Amino acid sequence: MLGLQSCLSTTLRKYPGLSFFSKFMACTPTLDVSPPVHRWMDTALQRDAFKKTIPILAAKVSASKTGSLLKSDIMKKSLMNLPKVRSVLRDPHDDLERLVLLNVSEDDALSPEVRNFLQEQSATLVVHNLELTYDYWTADEILHSILPEELCKGSPSGFAITGHLAHMNLNKEYLPYKHIIGQIVLDKNPMIKTVVNKLDSIDTKYRFFKMELLAGEPNYVVEHHESNCRFTFDFTHVYWNSRLHTEHDRLVQLFRPTDVIADVFAGVGPFAIPAAKKGCAVLANDLNPESARYLSQNIVDNKVTSLVRASCEDGRDFIKKVIGRVRDHPFPTYTGPKLSKVQEKERRKLQLAESRPIAALGLVDLSTGENQSPRHTISHFVMNLPDSAIDFLDAFRGILSESEWDFGNYANMPMIHCHCFTRELHPDRAEADIIQRVESKLGHKLETEVTLHMVRSVAPNKDMYCISFRLPRDVAFAQ
């Protein structure tokens, strides 16, 4: 979760002036550029109230000598270095003269060396009024000038960005100022069009957060980019967490392009679609009809229709049926990374020039289905529903039949990647807690390839983990 200042620092690199106030203060301690304090402003943001005039000194020199002042080591610490403020201005009274702004308001604040250098350059010290307005200050600075002093230390630090939308988790003490906070976030982030606050209530069936509009457009259908994929979804009707990007990528990196993945709680596809882009075949399911609808749209938009099959059903039913589905309707074999049109054209040219078959050139022919055996066994199950995924593990009991086909083709059992929460904060106790709960649901001890990965802390006494383990053979073939 990003704080207002840190989020600006990471997402507004195109707007560097929004996050360098502390750096400036470290080198120009004599100027007070903090915004005026308006703690009475608690319901509506009044931008015009944020104005400040600061008298500063400027060295008036001929245009030809401007470079000498800017490049001088003697002047380096005395030059204006404010973000979004030009350090050199035209003299309003003489087009041939320039004003080089200094970071002091009185000439006795300049060192003797600086004064001597300015005299050598025939510079004249004049007073220039620096005008700062609402647009100059950062979101944190504006907030600290509005909020009561007792709230400034822990000022709102909970917003993340998904597409054009910023979503916040405001503590109750900040709720009286929620619309001002939302408006400031909107103003200071040009790419953001909508600001919402997540409410405490969660949809009990589909597990998405309810939210309220704080500022901007009531447009909740976002387009979000992650792992070179494009995701479209209605943020008010599906679950999405941008902070899980690293976890999405971590799991996908575990998959081989030849694998078949069963994504039990797929949402709009943050695991399924990047895996398909890698070459994996994916059966992706979600109980929420809206999630399934946007999942289907994202499959088409990301051009992986041949590799991802979407469904909308209860996760328990999906687990029980998915083995048979891929067995009866297998995916084509992975044939190598898909070439771009340019690469395909070059390959064809090479083939014609050599008058030899593509295979003889050591290339994979993606245009033909010859010599391709189908993919009909599942390598990994992904269960990203940390609140209750462990409760679905008993559905794996007996998912494989006693048939000769299943015995032969599932020599290696699938890996299960199950996300969950624990309130045991010590790693050893957390591991023991999670394994005990998993084994209880499976009705069997975990045997091989058991790993735990700590995903993130979600609350002071609550952590999210992913436990990965090889499905015990006795569980899969249980009566």
Side-chain angles (χ1 to χ4, degrees):
M1 182 172 291
L2 299 174
L4 291 176
Q5 187 67 32
S6 61
C7 186
L8 288 168
S9 300
T10 55
T11 62
L12 298 183
R13 293 189 180 95
K14 294 182 181 179
Y15 310 93
L18 294 179
S19 58
F20 295 149
F21 173 67
S22 59
K23 178 180 176 182
F24 168 77
M25 288 299 291
C27 62
T28 59
T30 57
L31 293 181
D32 178 13
V33 295
S34 59
V37 175
H38 298 301
R39 304 210 187 278
W40 50 266
M41 196 181 298
D42 57 356
T43 55
L45 180 63
Q46 298 183 31
R47 299 173 187 81
D48 291 343
F50 291 94
K51 294 180 180 179
K52 192 167 191 175
T53 300
I54 305 174
I56 61 171
L57 288 183
K60 181 179 178 179
V61 294
S62 63
S64 61
K65 292 187 176 182
T66 302
S68 299
L69 268 65
L70 297 178
K71 296 176 182 178
S72 169
D73 290 337
I74 295 174
M75 294 295 301
K76 187 176 297 184
K77 293 184 179 180
S78 299
L79 295 174
M80 174 63 67
N81 191 27
L82 270 176
K84 298 196 295 181
V85 173
R86 295 176 58 187
S87 58
V88 179
L89 304 175
R90 286 182 179 273
D91 186 337
H93 307 295
D94 189 343
D95 284 345
L96 300 178
E97 298 286 320
R98 298 292 183 269
L99 299 181
V100 179
L101 305 187
L102 306 179
N103 60 20
V104 296
S105 56
E106 298 179 0
D107 58 0
D108 58 5
L110 297 173
S111 68
E113 292 80 9
V114 170
R115 286 199 292 268
N116 290 337
F117 180 79
L118 291 175
Q119 189 173 7
E120 292 171 3
Q121 301 299 315
S122 302
T124 303
L125 290 176
V126 297
V127 175
H128 172 77
N129 286 328
L130 181 64
E131 303 289 346
L132 301 181
T133 64
Y134 173 83
D135 291 337
Y136 172 76
W137 290 288
T138 67
D140 274 343
E141 291 162 2
I142 296 293
L143 272 176
H144 284 189
S145 70
I146 293 175
L147 294 174
E149 289 187 53
E150 64 271 17
L151 297 182
C152 287
K153 186 175 181 180
S155 61
S157 57
F159 85 86
I161 297 175
T162 303
H164 69 270
L165 185 148
H167 45 103
M168 311 187 73
N169 294 309
L170 293 178
N171 293 333
K172 62 180 180 180
E173 60 266 29
Y174 295 102
L175 293 181
Y177 309 91
K178 61 186 180 183
H179 293 294
I180 281 187
I181 293 170
Q183 190 60 57
I184 292 171
V185 170
L186 189 69
D187 290 344
K188 299 300 180 179
N189 293 267
M191 77 288 294
I192 290 176
K193 306 299 180 186
T194 305
V195 183
V196 299
N197 181 43
K198 287 184 178 179
L199 303 177
D200 290 337
S201 57
I202 301 175
D203 183 87
T204 55
K205 187 175 183 180
Y206 300 132
R207 307 301 298 171
F208 58 80
F209 287 95
K210 296 183 180 180
M211 56 194 66
E212 61 178 337
L213 180 68
L214 298 185
E217 306 168 1
N219 176 14
Y220 308 110
V221 177
V222 302
E223 182 179 296
H224 186 76
H225 294 261
E226 179 178 299
S227 300
N228 295 318
C229 301
R230 175 162 58 101
F231 299 95
T232 301
F233 52 90
D234 186 333
F235 199 72
T236 61
H237 288 94
V238 307
Y239 179 81
W240 179 273
N241 191 333
S242 298
R243 289 164 288 171
L244 293 178
H245 175 206
T246 302
E247 177 63 4
H248 299 156
D249 185 65
R250 183 189 71 86
L251 269 190
V252 171
Q253 293 305 316
L254 297 178
F255 306 151
R256 297 172 301 175
T258 54
D259 286 339
V260 177
I261 314 300
D263 194 349
V264 184
F265 313 109
V268 298
F271 288 106
I273 290 175
K277 286 274 193 176
K278 188 176 183 176
C280 301
V282 186
L283 298 108
N285 173 71
D286 202 274
L287 178 64
N288 183 350
E290 285 296 291
S291 294
R293 181 168 72 87
Y294 283 109
L295 169 62
S296 298
Q297 178 180 335
N298 294 331
I299 291 169
V300 173
D301 291 346
N302 288 277
K303 301 179 180 179
V304 288
T305 52
S306 64
L307 290 172
V308 185
R309 299 172 186 170
S311 61
C312 179
E313 60 187 316
D314 178 75
R316 188 177 300 278
D317 294 336
F318 175 77
I319 292 170
K320 291 178 178 179
K321 297 175 182 177
V322 70
I323 292 284
R325 287 174 182 170
V326 72
R327 178 181 60 215
D328 297 340
H329 302 283
F331 288 91
T333 294
Y334 175 70
T335 55
K338 186 176 181 180
L339 301 181
S340 67
K341 291 182 179 180
V342 173
Q343 290 172 322
E344 180 67 27
K345 186 176 181 180
E346 289 299 318
R347 185 174 63 169
R348 293 293 177 185
K349 281 184 180 180
L350 183 60
Q351 180 192 17
L352 292 173
E354 297 288 337
S355 297
R356 296 160 63 190
I358 288 178
L361 299 173
L363 300 170
V364 179
D365 192 349
L366 298 175
S367 63
T368 174
E370 296 179 5
N371 301 320
Q372 295 182 14
S373 58
R375 289 185 274 183
H376 45 53
T377 59
I378 295 172
S379 308
H380 298 266
F381 281 85
V382 178
M383 303 179 69
N384 182 30
L385 189 66
D387 189 64
S388 57
I390 287 178
D391 294 335
F392 287 78
L393 290 176
D394 59 341
F396 285 97
R397 294 188 60 80
I399 61 168
L400 293 176
S401 69
E402 294 289 345
S403 72
E404 183 178 341
W405 190 95
D406 284 340
F407 271 116
N409 286 280
Y410 277 95
N412 290 321
M413 291 290 100
M415 288 295 295
I416 311 296
H417 308 280
C418 181
H419 291 89
C420 58
F421 294 131
T422 180
R423 295 191 179 277
E424 297 289 350
L425 302 185
H426 189 279
D428 291 342
R429 290 196 296 271
E431 178 177 350
D433 170 59
I434 294 168
I435 289 177
Q436 184 275 324
R437 289 155 55 200
V438 168
E439 291 179 340
S440 176
K441 272 296 175 181
L442 286 175
H444 197 281
K445 289 286 186 181
L446 296 182
E447 298 169 342
T448 60
E449 300 179 60
V450 181
T451 60
L452 261 81
H453 174 76
M454 201 280 201
V455 178
R456 67 187 188 98
S457 293
V458 298
N461 296 304
K462 189 177 183 181
D463 291 338
M464 177 179 173
Y465 277 81
C466 177
I467 180 170
S468 298
F469 59 91
R470 184 77 63 183
L471 179 64
R473 194 171 188 84
D474 288 346
V475 172
F477 286 98
Q479 294 298 319

